[in-house]
Amino acid sequence: MTPTAAPAARPRLDVVTFGEVMGMLVAADTGPLADVTHYTRSLAGAEINVATGLVRLGHTAGWVGRVGDDPLGAHALAALRAEGVDTGQVTVDPEARTGFQLKSRVLEGDPEVVYFRKHSAGSRLAPSAAADAYVRDARHLHLTGIPAALSPTARAFTHRALAAARDSGRTVSFDPNLRPTLWPDRAEMVRTVNDLAVRADWVLPGLGEGRLLTGAREPADVAHWYLERGVRRVVLKDGARGATLYDATGGSWAQPVFPVRVVDTVGAGDGFAAGLISAHLDGLGPAAALARAAAVGALATTSHGDRDGLPTRARLDAFLHSRTAA
């Protein structure tokens, strides 16, 4: 009798992401950072924002990174665990400090952000067999262009994680999240980021980023640049003008922004990514996925902290119901 093959094990996590977490000191008062005397402590990091957003929406998510053996690192680990983010592949580095940033408080527009991250623990992220296995044991990998800019070892980790996900048949989303000041020059940034982007299933650039990376001007041409290179979906975010999803079948779907009282725009793109990944995990179609992404992104702008406005599933459902019922 031929033995029956055992069913494949269910992935332990829905999503894995990785990068650098930083302490964030948010100004208590408006005005230039040089004049501020009181700050509130929080956390910053595009990838931890996405992981937090996914957990609040009812999914399981893990984050891989390094923190220093210091108060900021201890706070980051405690805060992520309190949210329910899996930190089983986070390393505490005894030789480097956790980076941090100062963030201004504004009444409108984008806040000023000043980074203190050179030679940080987060920049010492490096590949490992354990991290490879961790990535393979998830349904989806989300990555950004930030780790590849931090150091050669973090860039190597990025390529290894992407290869592990692709080899295991996992879906991959990629948000360029361009940080030009972290790169030696624009040409290397464009080359490296695009090399990662074309190996992902979905690419999620802002329109300005897409224009810089591809040289195209029209949104459809930016999207087609990636689609022609094997990407399955491109979602272009265009600020107050909303977002458009293009896919490999030739379809496109547009989504306007949801009007909210904007307090702080930082983290909106991370919320958008969390909403889009959540929709994928729940099997939603393109239009519904865009609506969820836009809603999470909008709600993320309603508080001063990068993660504070990320909604629970109940808040998201109530928000979407109120908009569709109006």
Side-chain angles (χ1 to χ4, degrees):
M1 183 176 180
T2 303
T4 303
R10 178 179 174 82
R12 191 172 69 86
L13 294 170
D14 291 325
V15 180
V16 163
T17 188
F18 61 90
E20 180 177 25
V21 64
M22 289 176 289
M24 179 168 64
L25 301 178
V26 183
D29 304 304
T30 58
L33 285 172
D35 298 336
V36 174
T37 56
H38 294 90
Y39 293 84
T40 300
R41 183 178 64 178
S42 186
L43 291 180
E47 300 85 7
I48 67 158
N49 295 341
V50 173
T52 300
L54 285 162
V55 171
R56 290 187 187 175
L57 293 175
H59 307 287
T60 55
W63 176 77
V64 186
R66 294 175 76 92
V67 298
D69 186 12
D70 52 47
L72 289 178
H75 170 66
L77 281 175
L80 289 172
R81 289 167 180 164
E83 286 284 357
V85 175
D86 186 90
T87 58
Q89 281 297 309
V90 177
T91 300
V92 177
D93 191 327
E95 299 177 353
R97 295 296 187 184
T98 308
F100 71 97
Q101 63 176 243
L102 303 179
K103 180 179 176 182
S104 69
R105 184 176 293 267
V106 295
L107 298 177
E108 60 181 25
D110 296 335
E112 177 187 6
V113 179
V114 179
Y115 297 95
F116 300 82
R117 71 196 310 176
K118 190 174 183 179
H119 305 308
S120 67
S123 71
R124 289 156 62 97
L125 182 66
S128 70
D132 293 345
Y134 192 70
V135 169
R136 294 191 199 100
D137 198 24
R139 293 172 60 189
H140 182 86
L141 173 68
H142 177 70
L143 64 153
T144 79
I146 299 172
L150 295 177
S151 69
T153 60
R155 185 178 302 185
F157 184 102
T158 302
H159 285 285
R160 275 268 295 269
L162 180 53
R166 300 304 311 179
D167 292 346
S168 302
R170 308 313 188 196
T171 49
V172 178
S173 53
F174 178 70
D175 186 340
N177 245 314
L178 297 183
R179 300 289 190 272
T181 57
L182 295 178
W183 294 91
D185 57 64
R186 173 171 164 169
E188 182 175 343
M189 177 180 72
V190 170
R191 181 174 61 253
T192 304
V193 169
N194 277 335
D195 179 53
L196 295 168
V198 298
R199 295 157 62 197
D201 293 290
W202 328 327
V203 180
L204 319 174
L207 180 57
E209 291 178 321
R211 286 170 169 164
L212 189 156
L213 290 168
T214 67
R217 298 302 302 169
E218 295 302 316
D221 294 333
V222 172
H224 291 152
W225 193 94
Y226 289 109
L227 294 171
E228 290 167 357
R229 288 162 174 80
V231 174
R232 289 164 50 192
R233 284 185 172 180
V234 179
V235 183
L236 286 174
K237 299 165 290 184
D238 192 14
R241 286 174 286 277
T244 305
L245 184 155
Y246 302 83
D247 74 10
T249 69
S252 65
W253 295 262
Q255 172 65 48
V257 298
F258 288 104
V260 295
R261 181 179 177 274
V262 176
V263 173
D264 186 339
T265 58
V266 176
D270 304 327
F272 187 97
L276 198 71
I277 297 166
S278 169
H280 162 70
L281 295 170
D282 286 346
L284 301 187
L290 264 184
R292 180 177 294 185
V296 178
L299 289 168
T301 70
T302 60
S303 68
H304 285 287
D306 291 6
R307 301 178 304 133
D308 296 347
L310 294 168
T312 62
R313 179 64 67 102
R315 185 184 178 208
L316 172 65
D317 290 346
F319 179 83
L320 284 170
H321 178 74
S322 69
R323 296 311 188 268
T324 56

